[in-house]
Amino acid sequence: MTTKRPFGLPSVRLILIAAVLGIIAGAGAVYVRNMGSGNGGEGSLVASAGACEGAVTKVKSVAAFSKGEVAAMVAAEPPRPLDLSFKGPDGQDLKTADFAGKTVLLNLWATWCGPCREEMPALNTLQKEMGGADFEVVTVNIDTGSDDKPKAFLAEYGVDALGYYRDSSMGVFNALKKEGLAFGLPVTLVMDKQGCLISAMNGPAAWDSPDAKALIAAAKGGV
């Protein structure tokens, strides 16, 4: 049986990768705290937990499917709304609140992150097979610099179903790191239709696997 660590603490191998890249967060508590600063120090990353009281049942439902290929996905207890900012496909400013009404799998990735590169085709397949009006895979690239490298990577790997979301300032990663939700890359969050954090993990997963699809179906309310 897989032993879980809070919010999917990465394996030793992934920790070493993250440390070399200089993005390891350190050995802090990894449960969501009550308050924190949003991207770039503006606003609140985590709002009142009271807004997500109705998501407690959904958290328990999704937790039952955190096994097999997605065993590192750990329930948010309690579920809480997140306020994260990044750029949309047309360079427009977006927040997680803009996805209200959709269940969202939010994934942070970079071209220099080997595990991110490995799981991106699976995330693309997940979007193709389950994406729609009620669910979206939102992959946010955090490469610094221009769009050239991440766009070239997506084209090379045939990633054609995912929207191009971007944060070259790495503000979204740093905000999650401050809250103990990010130790390295990739980082993946599942958020419900009200923008409440349901579960999270550090490290890659086979997102096109039956295990992953069952977890997403539970998050959508289809199980």
Side-chain angles (χ1 to χ4, degrees):
M1 181 178 293
T2 302
T3 301
K4 294 182 183 179
R5 287 165 287 183
F7 278 114
L9 190 64
S11 66
V12 172
R13 182 174 67 87
L14 289 176
I15 289 174
L16 290 175
I17 292 171
V20 169
L21 294 171
I23 58 172
I24 205 73
V30 294
Y31 290 105
V32 180
R33 294 193 292 266
N34 287 332
M35 297 297 292
S37 58
N39 296 9
E42 297 180 3
S44 172
L45 173 63
V46 182
S48 170
C52 293
E53 288 179 355
V56 173
T57 300
K58 179 64 66 64
V59 169
K60 292 179 180 179
S61 176
V62 172
F65 291 89
S66 298
K67 57 188 177 181
E69 296 290 351
V70 289
M73 184 68 76
V74 177
E77 297 179 351
R80 301 173 186 234
L82 295 182
D83 182 24
L84 301 171
S85 302
F86 44 89
K87 298 290 185 181
D90 298 318
Q92 74 274 33
D93 292 330
L94 287 178
K95 287 180 174 287
T96 43
D98 294 321
F99 294 87
K102 283 187 177 184
T103 300
V104 170
L105 186 147
L106 180 71
N107 175 275
L108 304 190
W109 70 282
T111 59
W112 39 258
C113 164
C116 302
R117 297 171 70 94
E118 291 174 7
E119 74 171 0
M120 193 60 62
L123 288 164
N124 191 61
T125 298
L126 180 64
Q127 174 63 24
K128 283 184 176 180
E129 296 186 0
M130 299 192 72
D134 60 349
F135 172 69
E136 182 174 352
V137 177
V138 177
T139 54
V140 181
N141 175 265
I142 63 169
D143 280 53
T144 58
S146 73
D147 292 333
D148 295 345
K149 193 170 183 180
K151 284 187 173 181
F153 165 80
L154 296 175
E156 178 184 353
Y157 279 70
V159 178
D160 55 2
L162 301 174
Y164 184 65
Y165 299 102
R166 188 94 154 88
D167 178 22
S168 60
S169 73
M170 290 185 65
V172 65
F173 174 83
N174 289 327
L176 291 177
K177 181 172 71 171
K178 182 180 291 185
E179 294 303 318
L181 289 171
F183 285 82
L185 290 179
V187 179
T188 305
L189 313 177
V190 174
M191 302 175 70
D192 72 4
K193 295 177 182 179
Q194 287 72 47
C196 298
L197 177 66
I198 297 300
S199 58
M201 68 180 288
N202 278 249
W207 293 110
D208 56 351
S209 66
D211 291 326
K213 293 172 187 175
L215 184 143
I216 295 303
K220 290 169 57 178
V223 174

